[in-house]
Amino acid sequence: MKRKRLLFITRHRLNENNGGANASKVFLKCFAKLFSDCSVILPAIDTPSPFVPPACHLYPYADHRSNISKGIDMYRGHICANELVVKSHLKEHHYDVAVVDHSFAGAGLCKVIKASGAQMVTIHHNVERDYLRDSAHEHSLLYRLPYLYFAKKAERDCLAYSDLNLTVTEQDAAEFRQWEGVRAESIHSWGIFEYEDMPAKTFSEVKDRHTFIITGSLCFEQSLRPILHFIDNYWPLVLGQCPEARLIVAGRNPAHQLVQACSRHSSINLVANPQDMAELVRQASFYLCPINAGSGRKLRVMDGLKQGLPVLCHDISAAGYESMAQANCLFAYHDEQSFQTALAHMLAATVNPDQVYSTFCNSYSVDTGTEQLRQLLNSHHII
């Protein structure tokens, strides 16, 4: 059988530690396990080796455009810097399969990829229409209008042209299938997985049942707003059920509003830019994720699960973690009343850290993700 050649196109800088980059790392790992001839077009980074499978052929690109040029290009529909790079690359190289990692990375490229003869796979990190709706107000109107228009166009084009569309949650897949003009049979939920190796480990017995933790990028609006809302409206409910509770809020560059909000509560400790986030999470008993907007998978939930912590999160953040909920490792809420119920159930649960970690490894390892991908690609005759 002919060995198929794969091109993986990503817009994310794989040396960064954020939701999009971490998702792209594990997606690339899974595809590289199934395609021995794998090439990657990616933004240039200083040391790609820790983040890219060693057998991959790398084609890094740098964006040297000025801000003025970027603005003009955006009004022309060029929302991703890789467009010209990919077009030029496909003139000189042939691939059997092209993977677009995030619909933005496929902006202006769908027809070119299909014309090259490659089968096209798009990984949708979110329903961008929903994600952008919740975050667009952070930008000026001059930026927002063209960006929203062309971002949504890129998403629709990828849905229409791809032989296989992969989402990270079943909820996103179900929403896409309802869109007019898309082929529902091309849309499947794949999932998201932990990109780092998950070694066998045993956790010490939990003695403190009163420490909660929230982590994240504490300067981004989509994280900041729900955390502030949680501190003002939900943390008093925790203290009502668990008077000895204390909360650690940890992450990058906390905004001034958050510093002020935490300072009003003697039970809250704000840790800015921690040196070792994993060690800090291990000090807690429970993980909280109040993110309540957007779509896609909320990867911060994994920060708790991979350290053996039960998770209490908003319904939006629970999407994609159904197996953890079934195992009493994750509890979800949508308002103050359901929060109090979910909190009581979590505090009463008998699950221990070893059980949480074992369940997480079984459901969200790279090997699990690779096997699920293999089945999806086989069903569409891509491998």
Side-chain angles (χ1 to χ4, degrees):
M1 178 184 291
K2 174 190 172 185
R3 182 177 67 164
K4 289 194 172 183
R5 302 186 69 217
L6 177 96
L7 175 64
F8 189 96
I9 306 164
T10 186
R11 64 191 286 268
H12 289 123
R13 299 178 63 84
L14 298 184
N15 60 340
E16 294 181 349
N17 183 24
N18 56 51
N22 289 345
S24 295
K25 290 170 201 172
V26 73
F27 294 151
L28 176 56
K29 269 192 174 182
C30 292
F31 273 96
K33 282 177 174 286
L34 298 178
F35 291 84
S36 58
D37 190 340
C38 177
S39 297
V40 187
I41 293 179
L42 74 168
I45 56 178
D46 293 335
T47 53
S49 55
F51 312 105
V52 178
C56 292
H57 312 292
L58 303 186
Y59 296 92
Y61 65 90
D63 186 3
H64 297 297
R65 296 174 299 165
S66 68
N67 287 335
I68 293 175
S69 295
K70 290 177 183 178
I72 293 171
D73 281 350
M74 184 171 62
Y75 273 83
R76 292 172 172 167
H78 307 307
I79 63 171
C80 195
N82 65 9
E83 184 177 344
L84 294 179
V85 175
V86 175
K87 287 179 177 178
S88 175
H89 185 85
L90 288 177
K91 289 179 181 179
E92 301 175 3
H93 301 82
H94 171 75
Y95 297 95
D96 301 291
V97 181
V99 177
V100 174
D101 175 42
H102 199 295
S103 58
F104 290 8
L109 294 174
C110 295
K111 291 182 180 179
V112 175
I113 291 172
K114 297 300 289 183
S116 75
Q119 292 176 288
M120 180 174 168
V121 179
T122 297
I123 308 170
H124 299 268
H125 287 226
N126 303 277
V127 177
E128 293 302 329
R129 182 180 67 180
D130 297 345
Y131 182 84
L132 293 170
R133 176 197 62 210
D134 294 325
S135 60
H137 67 277
E138 301 171 29
H139 306 288
S140 71
L141 199 61
L142 285 175
Y143 176 93
R144 191 189 316 166
L145 290 178
Y147 189 74
L148 288 176
Y149 175 82
F150 288 113
K152 292 176 182 178
K153 182 179 185 303
E155 183 171 50
R156 280 199 167 276
D157 286 349
C158 285
L159 284 166
Y161 281 93
S162 294
D163 299 278
L164 176 62
N165 288 284
L166 300 173
T167 68
V168 299
T169 69
E170 181 54 41
Q171 290 88 335
D172 286 2
E175 181 167 346
F176 280 141
R177 293 186 193 111
Q178 296 175 8
W179 286 20
E180 183 178 352
V182 304
R183 292 176 295 110
E185 65 275 11
S186 75
I187 302 168
H188 296 272
S189 172
W190 176 19
I192 190 66
F193 310 91
E194 172 54 44
Y195 76 92
E196 294 181 324
D197 293 334
M198 293 190 285
K201 57 184 177 181
T202 302
F203 294 85
S204 58
E205 181 182 352
V206 177
K207 297 178 181 178
D208 173 11
R209 298 277 292 177
H210 307 115
T211 304
F212 298 75
I213 189 167
I214 294 173
T215 67
S217 297
L218 305 180
C219 55
F220 292 148
E221 188 74 12
Q222 201 167 33
S223 298
L224 180 62
R225 282 185 292 119
I227 293 174
L228 289 171
H229 182 73
F230 181 90
I231 289 172
D232 289 340
N233 297 278
Y234 286 85
W235 183 241
L237 301 179
V238 176
L239 294 174
Q241 291 194 36
C242 186
E244 298 178 10
R246 66 185 187 96
L247 174 62
I248 300 170
V249 180
R252 287 186 294 154
N253 306 326
H256 180 65
Q257 308 100 291
L258 183 60
V259 174
Q260 288 186 315
C262 292
S263 69
R264 292 194 291 267
H265 298 266
S266 60
S267 57
I268 298 179
N269 179 28
L270 176 63
V271 181
N273 305 304
Q275 295 260 331
D276 189 342
M277 181 67 81
E279 176 57 34
L280 199 60
V281 174
R282 282 193 289 270
Q283 296 177 21
S285 320
F286 304 103
Y287 189 90
L288 302 172
C289 184
I291 306 303
N292 59 1
S295 67
R297 187 75 65 84
K298 302 301 177 277
L299 299 190
R300 289 300 173 189
V301 171
M302 288 188 176
D303 287 350
L305 296 175
K306 66 185 179 185
Q307 298 302 333
L309 300 189
V311 171
L312 177 59
C313 63
H314 192 278
D315 280 346
I316 293 291
S317 292
Y321 294 101
E322 290 76 13
S323 62
M324 302 306 297
Q326 292 168 5
N328 278 337
C329 301
L330 181 142
F331 305 83
Y333 67 93
H334 59 272
D335 58 17
E336 293 182 11
Q337 182 177 349
S338 60
F339 177 84
Q340 297 209 69
T341 301
L343 175 62
H345 287 164
M346 183 175 71
L347 293 173
T350 58
V351 64
N352 63 50
D354 291 329
Q355 292 169 319
V356 175
Y357 182 71
S358 175
T359 304
F360 175 67
C361 290
N362 289 338
S363 300
Y364 300 102
S365 68
V366 171
D367 288 341
T368 299
T370 302
E371 183 52 37
Q372 292 181 11
L373 177 62
R374 184 197 307 276
Q375 294 174 18
L376 288 165
L377 295 177
N378 268 326
S379 69
H380 285 261
H381 309 291
I382 295 174
I383 58 172

